[in-house]
Amino acid sequence: MLIIYLLLPESPAWCASRDKEAKAKKSMRLIYRGVEEYDVDAQYQVLVQTIAHEKQVAQENKQEKWHSIFRGVNGVSDPIDNIVK
């Protein structure tokens, strides 16, 4: 696991969500090397806009925390309901 951690770059999305623009673009260049006419700046802007939109939707739905993915529609955890269905 340590070897994989050392060899794999951080994801561009993770870097962009933490305002590490240079690192995100470096990862994108590495991932998309060899792709003709790939515009790193344009794709980075799309990534930043996507992250901002996801944060806005999460705030509107009051689901900003990581554990909100386990909540059902009514805000109550319903894993047993999913198994029974």
Side-chain angles (χ1 to χ4, degrees), residues 5-78:
Y5 178 75
L6 294 173
L7 295 176
L8 289 177
E10 295 170 336
S11 77
W14 184 87
C15 292
S17 69
R18 282 150 181 81
D19 295 324
K20 297 182 177 187
E21 181 177 350
K23 231 176 180 181
K25 287 182 179 181
K26 181 179 178 183
S27 292
M28 292 170 84
R29 284 187 194 96
L30 178 66
I31 292 168
Y32 295 105
R33 68 184 177 271
V35 177
E36 292 182 25
E37 298 184 26
Y38 180 75
D39 188 356
V40 174
D41 294 322
Q43 286 301 112
Y44 180 77
Q45 289 306 315
V46 170
L47 188 58
V48 169
Q49 290 173 356
T50 302
I51 292 168
H53 175 71
E54 288 175 353
K55 285 181 181 179
Q56 178 185 5
V57 169
Q59 287 175 345
E60 289 172 1
N61 293 328
K62 296 180 183 170
Q63 296 179 343
E64 299 176 57
K65 305 293 182 194
W66 66 270
H67 55 78
S68 65
I69 61 174
F70 298 107
R71 291 189 181 158
V73 176
N74 61 356
V76 178
S77 179
D78 58 353

